[in-house]
Structure formats: C-alpha cells, structure tokens
Amino acid sequence: MNKYLKLTVLLTVLALSLHPALAWHPDSTWVFNQWEAGLSNGSALNDPGDMRGGYSSIWRLAFYHQFSPEDFGPQLPMRYFPAVGIALTYSDFTRTNVYREVGDKEEVYRGTYGRFLSLAISFSQYHRMWGSRNQWRLRSLMENGFAWAFNPYHYPDRMGNTIGGNFQVYFHTGLYFSYAWGHHEWGIGPEFTHYSNSGTYLPNGGVNNLSVGVRYRTLAQTVFPRTSRDGYLLDEFKPYLYNSFYLAIGIHAEGERGDRATNHGDIAVYSQVNVTYNLMCRVAPTSSIGLGVDFFSGCEAEQISRPWWGLGLKHETFYRRFAISVGVGYYLNGMHRKGRGDSKTRIYEKIGLKYYLPIERGNQPQPYVCYHIKGNEFYAEQFEIGIGFTFGRFYRSGFLQKLQKRWRRQSLQPE
C-alpha cells in the first residue's frame, strides 16, 4: 500500500471515529455539528517553460458549525444555511518538477514545490437547490489561513527551490455540484489553491494550483426552505454607515534573490507601521462597501524607504464575526515599486481576514483583529497583522432608507 493510499485511509478512519460525537441539529450547543473529508488531484500553474510533469494531491479534513437561519441572522435569500469551521489540509507537490533556463536555453533542475500542511478558517454556503427534496445542490467554499512548508529554499542544499521560508499564507476556494440523501452529501467540482509567503522571505515563487475535488460531508440540516421569506428575516436588517480604523505592523523581506544568495545573511526582514481609516456602508446583511485612506510608513529598504499614502475602494463579506476584507487602492504621492525589478505602479491591493471580538454594546466601538496581504498589481509585498475597531453607526439618510425598503420587499417575495 503506497503512502498516499495510507494517508487517505488514515483520514477516513479519523473522520468516521468522530462521527458519533457530532450532533446532527444546527441549534445544538456543540461547537461543531458536521464534518467534511475531501481528496483533490490537479496540477500547479506556472510558466510552461519552467514546470515539467507530475500532478498535485490534496487531502482535507474540516469541522463546521452549520447555522440555521434564525441562528445565523439576516442574510441574502440565495445563501442557504452558511457553515463556519476549521480545515486541516495536506498538499503534496513533490511530483511537480521545476526547471530554469540558463544561457542558450539550457534547462537546469531546481527542485519541486514540496509539501504543505495548512490550518484555515473555512466558510461554506449553498447557492441553489433542485429536486422535490432539494437533493441536488450547488455549494461554494472559501478558506483562508496559514501553512507550513516542509521543503523551502535553504542554503546550501535547496538553493534552487522557489518556495521561500517555512511560513506560508494559504487560500483555497471551490464550487461543488452535490447530491444529498438524509444526513449525507457527496460533491465534486473545480478548486483553486494558493500558497505563498506574502513577501516575508526570498524567494517568493508561490504555488497556484487547479484541481478537481471530491467531497463527503455530514449534514446537520436536511430540510431547506424554498422561499426567501421562510426564516431569512431580511425585514429585520437595517443598512447603516460606520467608521473603521486599524493599526498594523507590516513585515517583508529585501535583499538578493533567494537563488543568488550565498547565505541567509543576504536576506533582510523589515517591519513598518501601516494605518487605515475607512468609511463603510453595510449595504446588505453580509456585505459592506466603502472608501478608505491608507498610510504606509516605509522602512530602511531601498526604493520603499519613504512614507506612502493611498486612497482605496474597500469591501467586506461577513460570516458571523468573521469578515473577508478586500481593497484596491491608488498611491497618491508617487509611483511604487511593483515587484523585485525596476517596474513601478500606482495600484495596490489588500486581501485578508478580520475577526470581530464578541464585545458589542449598542453603538459603542466594536474591536477586531485582522491580517492582510498587500501587493502591487498582484506582486506580493508584505504581510501585515493589526488591531482595529469600528465606531459611529449612522442609520438615517435617504440612501439608507431606500436600501431598507429594498430588503423588506425582497423578504416578502419567493426566489
């Protein structure tokens, strides 16, 4: 029995052994009331001239709390019974060989992407259902967390590896067409997986992987409402404006490229202070949009040693106290270096995860902790971690009243 079959059997036995301990009902007091196991096979994406043969294998085990509509709160009618949990993922890229052209197009073997073990926050929800008993379903999945790389760049034995450092940021998303009976559901669909160190180490080649995944999950809820009015409580939602402020520390690496370094001393890690203020509008139960001002203090590294100001468009998608935060901005005071070369840009982007602490008293400030990955035209620059708070909710305006009427009308209509 090869090692991949052994790993699959081990994860299956572990999942089945936990089966009796998981409650079936979404209003249960159990933290986790369902679990999911999955296996995926695919291929890493890269320049065809750099990558040769092989395929990727990914094993995954996740535990969720599946919410009822009353438990989750107001939500959009196309989102059925969201689930929030944690996912443990093991990814194997050791069969993907990476080469590099040197002189006269001669190819030199560099290594593989190696193996990763990740732990992430996972968000899952249904979008559409068919059949007299809703057996056929369309479900999406999104995960964000951290990973450990087992085979990163290292001097002198692994100088050709394109993955730099053990610390990696993990992102995964998938869309599954599923069939359910009773408390069981099987699904299959396309997936995208990303690993990178977010500029905290050199080199930062990263991995982008496309795969097809097969998933089995237990179901805490078997009966789903067929109208948006049935339990979705949209008429209770009130749009509002609010302020958001946070302070973060950004971490990034500078120096020689990893494959040219003679030792680890050629790679320096810097830190800087980042500050953000956003004016946001909660336009939907699970969505906010707004504008923000970003300040990046800069560091001692060449080309980014001075402060930078930016104006950005911001968006947040909420899952209970978690929020996926995305922003696209424009540098106001000059061109910023794009990647490691000489090209520059005025465009930057940030994506990350927030957790709002369970401290909420009416209109008082709401604290949160967060992390973001900052890039320049999708070239990762730094990883930032910070703390912030929201304050000053405003409910009265003509625009907000129109939004409130829209949600009330939608809550009275079938899908």
Side-chain angles (χ1 to χ4, degrees):
M1 185 183 296
N2 63 45
K3 63 178 182 179
Y4 305 112
L5 182 57
K6 288 181 180 179
L7 183 59
T8 302
V9 172
L10 177 62
L11 290 177
T12 302
V13 172
L14 175 61
L16 292 176
S17 68
L18 292 169
H19 183 278
L22 298 177
W24 289 117
H25 303 291
D27 57 352
S28 168
T29 57
W30 287 80
V31 175
F32 301 119
N33 57 16
Q34 68 173 210
W35 60 270
E36 180 178 77
L39 172 64
S40 308
N41 282 300
S43 176
L45 303 176
N46 205 333
D47 185 340
D50 292 341
M51 195 171 62
R52 292 289 185 275
Y55 61 93
S56 60
S57 296
I58 300 175
W59 292 265
R60 179 179 173 276
L61 185 62
F63 299 91
Y64 293 96
H65 182 84
Q66 186 182 40
F67 294 91
S68 67
E70 292 78 9
D71 192 15
F72 190 84
Q75 57 183 301
L76 297 173
M78 71 283 294
R79 297 186 178 183
Y80 294 88
F81 291 88
V84 179
I86 58 174
L88 183 67
T89 302
Y90 175 79
S91 302
D92 186 343
F93 296 94
T94 56
R95 295 181 297 278
T96 301
N97 299 317
V98 180
Y99 290 80
R100 181 186 60 188
E101 290 185 356
V102 294
D104 298 329
K105 298 185 178 180
E106 178 188 359
E107 292 186 345
V108 176
Y109 174 72
R110 301 188 64 175
T112 72
Y113 290 126
R115 297 167 291 120
F116 302 83
L117 183 65
S118 67
L119 184 65
I121 303 297
S122 183
F123 310 100
S124 176
Q125 61 194 19
Y126 295 100
H127 294 275
R128 192 64 58 189
M129 298 184 183
W130 302 272
S132 59
R133 297 182 180 179
N134 294 331
Q135 302 103 320
W136 299 98
R137 304 167 179 181
L138 184 66
R139 180 172 64 89
S140 66
L141 177 73
M142 183 174 293
E143 296 175 349
N144 201 332
F146 304 104
W148 179 267
F150 291 97
N151 316 100
Y153 162 86
H154 186 269
Y155 177 85
D157 53 331
R158 294 194 302 270
M159 290 185 63
N161 287 25
T162 60
I163 302 299
N166 296 109
F167 169 81
Q168 302 286 315
V169 173
Y170 165 80
F171 175 80
H172 176 86
T173 184
L175 186 65
Y176 307 95
F177 186 67
S178 306
Y179 180 80
W181 68 98
H183 291 286
H184 309 276
E185 179 182 287
W186 285 92
I188 185 171
E191 302 175 333
F192 173 79
T193 305
H194 172 79
Y195 291 98
S196 74
N197 64 38
S198 302
T200 59
Y201 199 90
L202 296 178
N204 183 25
V207 178
N208 294 309
N209 185 74
L210 281 180
S211 59
V212 175
V214 176
R215 300 293 173 94
Y216 167 77
R217 79 170 359 189
T218 61
L219 299 177
Q221 184 74 23
T222 60
V223 179
F224 293 83
R226 297 185 65 86
T227 68
S228 58
R229 177 176 174 79
D230 190 358
Y232 280 87
L233 312 176
L234 283 174
D235 55 337
E236 295 185 5
F237 171 69
K238 295 182 179 180
Y240 58 89
L241 296 171
Y242 64 97
N243 303 281
S244 179
F245 173 88
Y246 75 88
L247 178 69
I249 300 296
I251 302 172
H252 51 101
E254 294 291 333
E256 293 287 344
R257 292 181 181 269
D259 54 357
R260 297 176 183 173
T262 56
N263 56 61
H264 286 289
D266 292 332
I267 302 174
V269 178
Y270 296 90
S271 64
Q272 66 182 61
V273 176
N274 301 332
V275 181
T276 293
Y277 165 77
N278 298 323
L279 177 62
M280 306 291 292
C281 179
R282 190 74 172 259
V283 296
T286 56
S287 181
S288 288
I289 60 174
L291 289 173
V293 177
D294 299 300
F295 171 76
F296 309 103
S297 65
C299 64
E300 298 177 0
E302 186 180 358
Q303 298 188 39
I304 54 175
S305 58
R306 67 182 180 88
W308 298 88
W309 291 89
L311 181 66
L313 179 65
K314 310 299 178 70
H315 181 270
E316 291 188 29
T317 301
F318 294 88
Y319 299 87
R320 296 283 283 184
R321 295 194 177 278
F322 290 97
I324 297 175
S325 174
V326 179
V328 178
Y330 181 85
Y331 290 111
L332 299 175
N333 60 331
M335 301 285 286
H336 193 285
R337 189 184 66 184
K338 182 189 296 186
R340 300 292 172 185
D342 297 326
S343 59
K344 296 184 178 182
T345 181
R346 283 186 178 267
I347 305 299
Y348 64 92
E349 56 281 335
K350 297 174 70 174
I351 182 171
L353 187 67
K354 294 182 178 181
Y355 177 73
Y356 289 83
L357 302 178
I359 304 173
E360 190 170 3
R361 298 182 300 274
N363 202 26
Q364 298 299 312
Q366 174 73 19
Y368 60 85
V369 293
C370 62
Y371 70 84
H372 288 88
I373 301 168
K374 175 180 178 281
N376 302 290
E377 287 193 16
F378 301 104
Y379 285 86
E381 178 197 335
Q382 62 181 269
F383 173 83
E384 66 172 32
I385 183 169
I387 186 170
F389 60 93
T390 65
F391 61 97
R393 294 185 179 182
F394 306 96
Y395 289 90
R396 293 184 178 181
S397 77
F399 171 70
L400 296 178
Q401 290 176 0
K402 289 181 180 179
L403 281 178
Q404 175 67 15
K405 291 179 181 179
R406 172 192 171 190
W407 291 119
R408 286 187 174 179
R409 286 196 305 269
Q410 191 168 355
S411 68
L412 297 174
Q413 297 174 357
E415 294 182 46

